[in-house]
Amino acid sequence: MSRGGGTTAEATAPTHMAREIAEQPQALAATFEALLPLREDLRRLFEGRRHVMLVARGSSDNAAVYGRYLLGAHAGVRGSMAAPSLATHYGPDGNGVELDLDDTLVVSVSQSGATEEIVATQQWAARRGAATVAVANVPGSPLLRTADLALQTQAGPELAVPATKSYLTQLAAMVVLGTALAPEVTSLDADIARVPDVVARLVEQQQGVDEAAAALSASRHPLVSGRGLLMGTALEVALKLEETCLRPVRGLSYADLRHGPIAVVDDDVLAVLVSAADGPLTGAMTELARELRDRGARTVGVGGDAGFAAAVDVAVAGPDLPEVLTPLGTVVPLQLAIERAALVLGLDPDAPRGLRKVTRTDT
């Protein structure tokens, strides 16, 4: 694998995180092969229902954010994010509040399929009348066993604590969901078939990755911004920076950043911006990049068009995919840059401080 300009990370043995990033094209291909045939099952399960509610935490929550936007922008289906504490902590019977979910398809997303809060929320939703779909990577996990329909991703074992291939295959599951419920189920199939090869090229070519890693490792005040279909990507990149490089990071939409936090942007800030090459928000992200540079911030931009690349200090190549599928590629070069930045900082990207694979949100 080419690493371009050379960094301290080159001299180290490959980490689990780096190996798992490199395994993503195969994991994506296997996940699409396994899940695309289940689209008709998803359509039948959704019949007579009007709403999709997504249940997740952590990286899985960021994948679900993409699913929510994809459902609205591509399928024309109303999607929302669940508040799991309504199921696990509120309500006089101790089993959550009395919500009527008869018109809802609840999609629970968890890498392990064993996070107790997510399993409990899925069971609560079923008791309230919802049809349930589970997305998880571990076969036989409680979430998959108890759902009406199981979507098992095919990432294989993931040893690094930061989720890379399990996250990307969750995005693939969101694509399966979003296309299953769309009026034209197969309209994106030709582009979906290209996704594993596009990701493989990003892993191999790594255009701008070393420069991005150097900027990330040098900054103590990064922020990440995206919007629309790339909002989940921005949140995921911020989370990965926090847990892997131990930097406090804010993941903000373009709109939220412009509504106040931009006031604190100066030459101490590194702004990481994610953009699609097409779509209604590319121009807005380019405008944001220019404004942040005018305020003194150093900017790293991933994806976008030629205008966006010219507006940032470090331009990182993104995927050659339509906007609705762009999140499956945009996160990959940033995964590589974050792994590399952690090594430059003397940190172990495989085992971030205080984290483990299956998270308990309550004691």
Side-chain angles (χ1 to χ4, degrees), residues 21-335:
I21 293 170
E23 292 168 1
Q24 290 183 125
Q26 294 78 19
L28 280 170
T31 297
F32 280 130
E33 182 179 4
L35 300 188
L36 284 172
L38 300 179
R39 288 191 295 195
E40 187 55 40
D41 294 330
L42 281 164
R43 287 176 70 85
R44 281 196 295 267
L45 200 58
F46 189 63
E47 283 180 5
R49 301 176 190 271
R50 301 174 53 246
H51 177 219
V52 176
M53 185 167 67
L54 296 127
V55 183
R57 292 290 192 194
S59 283
S60 301
D61 198 52
N62 300 332
V65 168
Y66 167 56
R68 181 188 66 183
Y69 277 99
L70 185 65
L71 284 164
H74 180 69
V77 172
R78 180 163 55 97
S80 67
M81 306 298 292
S85 59
L86 292 179
T88 59
H89 286 73
Y90 290 93
D93 60 357
N95 291 313
V97 293
E98 295 289 344
L99 293 180
D100 182 356
L101 298 178
D102 284 345
D103 70 343
T104 304
L105 176 68
V106 168
V107 181
S108 302
V109 189
S110 167
Q111 293 150 25
S112 67
T115 301
E116 293 177 7
E117 180 187 36
I118 305 304
V119 174
T121 301
Q122 178 175 270
Q123 294 169 344
W124 164 83
R127 292 195 299 270
R128 299 302 185 267
T132 58
V133 173
V135 177
N137 191 52
V138 179
S141 57
L143 202 67
L144 293 177
R145 288 200 316 268
T146 57
D148 294 321
L149 181 62
L151 301 183
Q152 183 190 327
T153 56
Q154 303 296 311
E158 190 173 56
L159 300 179
V161 171
T164 54
K165 60 179 182 173
S166 63
Y167 170 77
L168 208 60
T169 53
Q170 288 176 343
L171 296 188
M174 296 299 102
V175 169
V176 171
L177 173 68
T179 56
L181 303 189
E184 296 182 22
V185 176
T186 61
S187 64
L188 283 176
D189 280 5
D191 287 311
I192 291 170
R194 296 194 299 115
V195 169
D197 287 340
V198 170
V199 170
R201 284 196 296 274
L202 291 169
V203 171
E204 178 60 32
Q205 294 173 0
Q206 302 190 17
Q207 182 181 332
V209 167
D210 276 338
E211 294 84 351
L216 291 172
S217 62
S219 173
R220 298 197 64 82
H221 301 286
L223 65 85
V224 189
S225 185
R227 197 174 180 188
L229 286 150
L230 272 296
M231 187 61 224
T233 304
L235 295 173
E236 173 64 9
V237 170
L239 176 60
K240 284 292 172 289
L241 271 170
E242 285 189 321
E243 65 186 9
T244 309
C245 295
L246 304 186
R247 294 287 197 255
V249 187
R250 294 193 73 181
L252 296 166
S253 80
Y254 162 96
D256 288 333
L257 179 57
R258 296 292 293 270
H259 270 79
I262 200 167
V264 304
V265 172
D266 56 21
D267 56 9
D268 285 333
V269 170
L270 173 72
V272 180
L273 308 178
V274 292
S275 175
D278 63 352
L281 295 171
T282 304
M285 292 304 298
T286 303
E287 178 186 330
L288 176 63
R290 294 191 184 113
E291 181 171 356
L292 292 170
R293 286 181 71 179
D294 288 345
R295 290 173 175 266
R298 183 164 170 76
T299 52
V300 173
V302 183
D305 59 9
F308 177 77
V312 298
D313 295 304
V314 176
V316 181
D320 173 23
L321 291 169
E323 183 191 21
V324 290
L325 298 177
T326 292
L328 283 83
T330 305
V331 72
V332 174
L334 285 166
Q335 292 171 336

